[in-house]
Amino acid sequence: CTMIRLVRRVAAWTICWLAVALVPGVGAGSLVQNADFIACQHNGPRCEFLEVFGADLTGSIPSEIGELVGLKHLWMEENRLTGTLPTELGNLVQLITLDISLNELTGTVPLELAKLSGLEELWLEANHLDGPIPPGIFGLTALHTLELYHNDFSGPIPSHIGLLTAMTVLDLGRNSLTGTMPAELKHLVSLHDLQLSFNYLTGLVPEEVWSMTTLVRLEL
């Protein structure tokens, strides 16, 4: 059984919640090696929740993940998934939560994530992702939690960060970001947690940041 096989089964599943980590007998190995317990039927509602965290799963995320177009919440954190983020994640236009943190993923964040206009939480921390902060993120105006901590993102923090006015938690710590802190952070009027420590930022902290009355936590 392969991870691709699991994804294909879930696409036709009639129950809208799958929590692999809570199923007896599911543990180390590839995601699909543990998929035989799924009852596959070809009618009923699409799967809306896929939760496979902390199951010591290995292998890559298959492109077939994009077939699960009814998904609203996808949790795959705390495994040993490798490879790159598939561009087909952009097909999951109903996603509200995407959590693929604490894995071993590499490469850049695909531009196709810009299609997830309803996304509210994006958790990618503790992987090996690189490149600039993906520009497509700045069009996700519903986003209130962005966790990119402990990767290898580089380049400046774009001024477009100010477009994410719903943001409450922004964690860009422990990357390789350079340049200065953009004054446009002041537009994040609901922000209460800002973490930028362990980067290579230079210059002064903008006066606009010190004036943000909603901030509860600031790590530089």
Side-chain angles (χ1 to χ4, degrees):
C1 203
T2 64
M3 184 171 179
I4 292 175
R5 196 167 154 199
L6 172 62
V7 168
R8 286 175 176 167
R9 291 182 178 196
V10 173
W13 208 25
T14 60
I15 299 175
C16 291
W17 187 290
L18 171 62
V20 170
L22 303 181
V23 176
V26 173
S30 72
L31 194 48
V32 276
Q33 286 175 337
N34 299 307
D36 285 332
F37 63 86
I38 297 177
C40 181
Q41 300 183 33
H42 295 282
N43 53 19
R46 297 175 185 266
C47 187
E48 295 182 358
F49 300 81
L50 178 56
E51 183 175 339
V52 285
F53 70 88
D56 202 26
L57 301 173
T58 59
S60 61
I61 302 172
S63 60
E64 282 81 356
I65 195 77
E67 297 175 13
L68 306 181
V69 294
L71 276 182
K72 294 182 178 179
H73 303 277
L74 176 57
W75 296 286
M76 304 182 75
E77 73 271 26
E78 205 170 337
N79 286 289
R80 290 188 291 131
L81 299 173
T82 55
T84 59
L85 290 168
T87 59
E88 289 78 6
L89 285 170
N91 297 339
L92 308 181
V93 295
Q94 296 191 51
L95 269 187
I96 297 171
T97 305
L98 176 58
D99 189 345
I100 319 181
S101 56
L102 294 160
N103 279 286
E104 300 171 14
L105 299 169
T106 56
T108 59
V109 176
L111 296 176
E112 286 76 7
L113 290 192
K115 300 176 184 178
L116 308 181
S117 60
L119 196 66
E120 297 180 4
E121 300 182 39
L122 179 58
W123 303 73
L124 298 176
E125 76 268 26
N127 280 285
H128 307 293
L129 301 170
D130 57 24
I133 296 176
I137 286 179
F138 305 122
L140 304 179
T141 55
L143 204 62
H144 63 70
T145 299
L146 178 59
E147 290 277 357
L148 302 182
Y149 175 81
H150 209 326
N151 280 283
D152 197 27
F153 291 110
S154 58
I157 302 173
S159 60
H160 291 94
I161 196 77
L163 297 174
L164 301 177
T165 55
M167 190 70 63
T168 60
V169 177
L170 177 60
D171 190 351
L172 305 178
R174 203 172 285 275
N175 280 285
S176 299
L177 299 174
T178 56
T180 59
M181 292 176 60
E184 287 79 4
L185 286 166
K186 67 181 180 181
H187 297 304
L188 310 187
V189 294
S190 298
L191 193 67
H192 62 74
D193 189 341
L194 175 59
Q195 300 183 52
L196 303 175
S197 58
F198 296 101
N199 280 289
Y200 300 100
L201 300 174
T202 56
L204 299 176
V205 177
E207 186 62 33
E208 293 86 348
V209 172
W210 295 123
S211 302
M212 296 173 69
T213 58
T214 59
L215 270 182
V216 175
R217 180 180 185 181
L218 175 61
E219 290 192 10
L220 303 175

